Amino acid sequence: AQKITQTQPGMFVQEKEAVTLDCTYDTSDPSYGLFWYKQPSSGEMIFLIYQGSYDQQNATEGRYSLNFQKARKSANLVISASQLGDSAMYFCAMREINNAGNMLTFGGGTRLMVKP
Amino acid sequence: DTEVTQTPKHLVMGMTNKKSLKCEQHMGHRAMYWYKQKAKKPPELMFVYSYEKLSINESVPSRFSPECPNSSLLNLHLHALQPEDSALYLCASSQVGTGSYYGYTFGSGTRLTVV
């Protein structure tokens, strides 16, 4: 069984500064995918960034980058130049593929609060 | 069309009521999912449909009954719910396969309150 751990229940960051949200995972599957989602208070899950287990380079999407350290089983999200609109819950998730289909399992989440 | 549409957005129901949640996508995705999310908790997988067949049921009580009438539509039928079933219910869809990337698209959810 896989497991996703986010050790920071809540974080503050000053507007325009960078922030790192931690995520560690545990799986015995050689092929897996790691996702980060943002969930504002409205409830929708917004996809931010993806990293495949075989990807050689760290993923980047605009202000978001993923610091993927495979040997340490960590996939930290880095948000550069924080904006007030970045205040939300952030979830790390891992996709497992088995004969039954795809399964996406989430970590406990980190609530990010951006201060003006 | 790159959206997953969920209706209704809000639902209040009594414990003796029967209601249904609806989820629709037109992205050609052949896997669809129901997740339940309690306040301040991560989403928890309930059901997975792959090619319109139920492939995963995460030991969900029978008062929740999923249905996938076609490749674009996913329903969740609710009957005799308990107050502790109050939560945000999220629908998602994705392609099926073992490729390097098959992203999930989530709907905006249905906020269910059982009274």
Side-chain angles (χ1 to χ4, degrees), chain B residues 28-109:
Chain B
H29 289 170
R30 301 304 297 275
M32 296 187 76
Y33 313 82
W34 280 115
Y35 282 84
K36 174 182 178 180
Q37 187 178 21
K38 301 283 281 183
K40 300 183 180 180
K41 296 290 187 181
E44 295 180 344
L45 183 65
M46 300 175 71
F47 302 104
V48 179
Y49 273 84
S50 182
Y51 296 107
E52 295 86 68
K53 294 189 187 312
L54 182 65
S55 60
I56 296 175
N57 177 342
E58 292 288 279
S59 303
V60 179
S62 60
R63 58 186 183 269
F64 295 91
S65 176
E67 178 195 22
C68 190
N70 58 57
S71 59
S72 299
L73 192 58
L74 184 66
N75 298 321
L76 186 62
H77 302 298
L78 314 173
H79 173 57
L81 294 193
Q82 303 297 311
E84 59 264 29
D85 296 321
S86 299
L88 178 68
Y89 288 83
L90 291 163
C91 174
S93 69
S94 75
Q95 297 180 39
V96 177
T98 58
S100 61
Y101 171 67
Y102 288 99
Y104 293 69
T105 303
F106 281 84
S108 57

Side-chain angles (χ1 to χ4, degrees), chain A residues 39 41 50 100 102-104 107, chain B residues 35 37 42 55 95 100 104 111:
Chain A
Q39 188 178 40
S41 56
Y50 167 83
N102 292 309
M103 292 178 60
L104 194 64
Chain B
Y35 282 84
Q37 187 178 21
S55 60
Q95 297 180 39
S100 61
Y104 293 69
R111 290 194 184 275

Side-chain angles (χ1 to χ4, degrees), chain B residues 3-27:
Chain B
E3 288 187 344
V4 173
T5 303
Q6 288 189 247
T7 54
K9 293 194 182 304
H10 300 272
L11 178 63
V12 179
M13 61 183 291
M15 289 187 284
T16 59
N17 292 158
K18 287 184 179 180
K19 297 287 185 182
S20 296
L21 309 185
K22 179 180 174 181
C23 175
E24 195 165 8
Q25 58 89 12
H26 297 285
M27 294 176 283

Side-chain angles (χ1 to χ4, degrees), chain A residues 16-88:
Chain A
K16 299 182 184 178
E17 291 185 351
V19 63
T20 298
L21 307 185
D22 294 341
C23 173
T24 58
Y25 61 93
D26 185 25
T27 182
S28 56
D29 293 334
S31 178
Y32 53 89
L34 297 160
F35 298 78
W36 277 93
Y37 286 88
K38 171 184 178 182
Q39 188 178 40
S41 56
S42 59
E44 62 178 312
M45 298 289 284
I46 302 169
F47 167 74
L48 297 178
I49 197 166
Y50 167 83
Q51 182 83 42
S53 58
Y54 295 120
D55 293 343
Q56 296 296 313
Q57 292 188 322
N58 288 342
T60 59
E61 291 284 350
R63 294 187 299 113
Y64 305 106
S65 60
L66 201 152
N67 184 1
F68 182 46
Q69 299 188 42
K70 193 171 182 178
R72 297 180 58 186
K73 294 188 175 180
S74 72
N76 299 338
L77 176 70
V78 180
I79 305 175
S80 63
S82 298
Q83 302 172 355
L84 295 178
D86 293 336
S87 295

